[in-house]
Amino acid sequence: MELGQIGTAMVTPFSYAGDIDFDLTEKLIEHLIATGTDSLIVCGTTGESPTLNHQEKSDLFKYAIEIVNKRIPVIAGTGTFNTAESIKLTKQADELGADGIMLVTPYYNKPDQKGIVTHFAHIAKETELPIMLYNIPGRAAVNMEAGTVIELSKIKNIRAVKEASGSLDQMSEIISGTDNGFKVYSGDDALTLPVLSIGGDGVISVASHIAGSEMQRMITAYRSGDTANAALMHRTLLPLFNAVFSAPNPVPVKYALAKMGIDTGGVRMPLVAGLGEGASAFDKVWDKFKENEHVFH
């Protein structure tokens, strides 16, 4: 699974009536491709997947695949807490031409490690698409342990993990215990550089909506051996990374996109659009980041 250095977990643009806005989606996709996104993840957490019904997900997969037109890989977020539903959506994504799928750890029902293995193994045998696992214990209420990822990596089409546990120890263990073809991506923007330093492959990002080019320059600097400049870029980006998660995701990044003139509409309940009193704090971080853009040139 060739995801490149930065996969963007794309927000889902909505009309102000609350429907998916496909015209805005096309504009967003073009913006992302132009600013450093190597692969596109559709209907992930940032895309507000829990609020999208089955048909909406299928429609969004189809549209994104058509607009991208093989320029970069499109990864369909088909994981749910329901194994049968995940298989059904995975088969649809395959038929529509997705380049891979992302499967989140089952949330809410809190399976044990054996249940997690069983869930993913059942889905994997129903498709030949490459699979990226997605571990996010802060949302799923269960941590997919390193040993579980290592066990699952032995299934031929499970080829990557998005690790949002925040644990570099866990990620190090996964890297050490899997073959060289298995990819480990940070699920946290702020850990992009640290994950690279322990042998990881990149990031599945939210901040790349608004700082994709700068993040690419940081990664390229690190990989070319210019670690001092990469570290400076990381420190410059870090306040922005934190600001992007200053309110429930994707509220802040949609706010920031609007500041850039890229309309992605509001969010669906139970989220609430806008940063309220937090807007001024975000604006200060944004202005400081723009002032320091020379760091990336």
Side-chain angles (χ1 to χ4, degrees):
M1 181 182 283
E2 295 302 323
L3 300 175
Q5 300 182 145
I6 298 175
T8 297
M10 187 182 76
V11 304
T12 300
F14 295 118
S15 71
Y16 285 90
D19 302 314
I20 296 173
D21 190 315
F22 291 100
D23 289 339
L24 294 182
T25 299
E26 179 178 3
K27 292 174 184 176
L28 176 61
I29 289 171
E30 295 301 337
H31 161 74
L32 293 174
I33 292 174
T35 55
T37 290
D38 295 317
S39 53
L40 195 69
I41 292 81
V42 181
C43 297
T45 305
T46 307
E48 298 178 68
S49 57
T51 73
L52 299 173
N53 64 39
H54 186 105
Q55 188 61 51
E56 286 176 321
K57 290 178 181 179
S58 180
D59 290 346
L60 196 52
F61 296 156
K62 183 176 187 292
Y63 190 78
I65 290 163
E66 289 175 352
I67 295 301
V68 170
N69 194 25
K70 297 296 182 183
R71 287 176 288 171
I72 59 174
V74 175
I75 310 302
T78 61
T80 70
F81 52 43
N82 181 322
T83 307
E85 173 68 12
S86 300
I87 290 171
K88 183 179 178 183
L89 197 55
T90 293
K91 288 182 174 180
Q92 281 194 309
D94 196 348
E95 291 170 2
L96 291 168
D99 298 290
I101 60 169
M102 184 177 73
L103 300 175
V104 67
T105 308
Y107 42 91
Y108 188 75
N109 40 21
K110 297 181 71 173
D112 59 15
Q113 299 301 304
K114 181 180 179 181
I116 292 171
V117 169
T118 303
H119 171 79
F120 287 134
H122 268 71
I123 301 170
K125 73 180 181 181
E126 296 290 340
T127 183
E128 294 185 358
L129 285 175
I131 294 169
M132 175 169 58
L133 306 176
Y134 177 18
N135 183 39
I136 182 160
R139 288 181 181 269
V142 61
N143 178 45
M144 181 164 53
E145 296 171 1
T148 301
V149 177
I150 293 166
E151 180 179 350
L152 285 164
S153 75
K154 295 171 184 174
I155 298 172
K156 66 176 182 178
N157 56 334
I158 295 181
R159 302 314 307 146
V161 64
K162 175 185 175 182
E163 247 296 337
S165 65
S167 171
L168 289 172
D169 289 355
Q170 181 160 308
M171 287 181 253
S172 296
E173 189 176 344
I174 292 168
I175 293 166
S176 295
T178 53
D179 65 48
N180 289 335
F182 188 82
K183 308 293 187 182
V184 177
Y185 285 85
S186 171
D188 299 292
D189 285 301
L191 291 182
T192 302
L193 192 59
V195 165
L196 292 173
S197 75
I198 61 171
D201 295 278
V203 62
I204 307 301
S205 175
V206 177
S208 54
H209 283 88
I210 56 175
S213 298
E214 291 83 357
M215 293 174 70
Q216 282 284 8
R217 292 189 187 105
M218 176 184 71
I219 295 171
T220 300
Y222 177 80
R223 287 190 161 152
S224 67
D226 190 1
T227 55
N229 266 327
L232 175 60
M233 292 176 193
H234 165 79
R235 294 193 301 272
T236 304
L237 282 161
L238 191 58
L240 184 64
F241 291 159
N242 292 332
V244 163
F245 292 96
S246 61
N249 183 35
V251 174
V253 74
K254 283 194 164 187
Y255 174 83
L257 283 165
K259 285 175 69 68
M260 297 173 68
I262 300 165
D263 184 12
T264 56
V267 291
R268 281 185 170 173
M269 292 186 289
L271 299 182
V272 179
L275 296 181
E277 293 180 357
S280 61
F282 188 98
D283 291 346
K284 288 177 183 176
V285 171
W286 178 255
D287 291 344
K288 185 71 172 178
F289 173 69
K290 300 305 284 184
E291 285 174 15
N292 289 325
E293 277 196 314
H294 62 276
V295 168
F296 300 95
H297 299 293

